[in-house]
Amino acid sequence: MTTPIPEQSQTEIEAAAFRKLVNHLREHTEVQNIDLMNLAGFCRNCLSKWYRAEASERGFDLSDPEAREIVYGMPYEDWKALYQQGPKKDHGA
């Protein structure tokens, strides 16, 4: 890297990348959590748990359903009813 990125800019870049990842996962509902877990070692539920843990470290209490809604863009039960496919078990449900 030719120019060091200031810490505040790095945080903003990371936040923007996180938002793009979340939006990408919201747009690609055909990709099931179990498939993500098998291929990448994490899923939407993992991401929501990481989000909740980081919020907690900063003094913000989020419930599991609240954190999942941030990642899924809707209540988790609604997402499952609309998009979860077949008899596959959902990781982290």
Side-chain angles (χ1 to χ4, degrees), residues 18-89:
F18 171 80
R19 287 190 295 271
K20 285 186 182 213
L21 172 61
V22 167
N23 285 332
H24 184 78
L25 292 173
R26 286 179 184 174
E27 289 173 7
H28 290 279
T29 57
E30 75 280 6
V31 178
Q32 299 295 291
N33 280 336
I34 192 69
D35 298 328
L36 282 170
M37 186 53 91
N38 288 337
L39 291 171
F42 80 98
C43 69
R44 293 169 181 90
N45 293 331
C46 297
L47 194 55
S48 70
K49 288 176 185 177
W50 299 337
Y51 187 95
R52 187 180 65 160
E54 292 300 325
S56 179
E57 289 220 0
R58 288 156 180 80
F60 299 99
D61 289 326
L62 289 175
S63 67
D64 208 32
E66 289 170 327
R68 284 184 177 185
E69 189 166 339
I70 289 166
V71 171
Y72 284 90
M74 65 181 69
Y76 178 58
E77 294 303 320
D78 293 351
W79 190 93
K80 284 191 342 182
L82 289 169
Y83 303 114
Q84 188 166 319
Q85 299 171 3
K88 293 179 183 177
K89 297 282 185 197

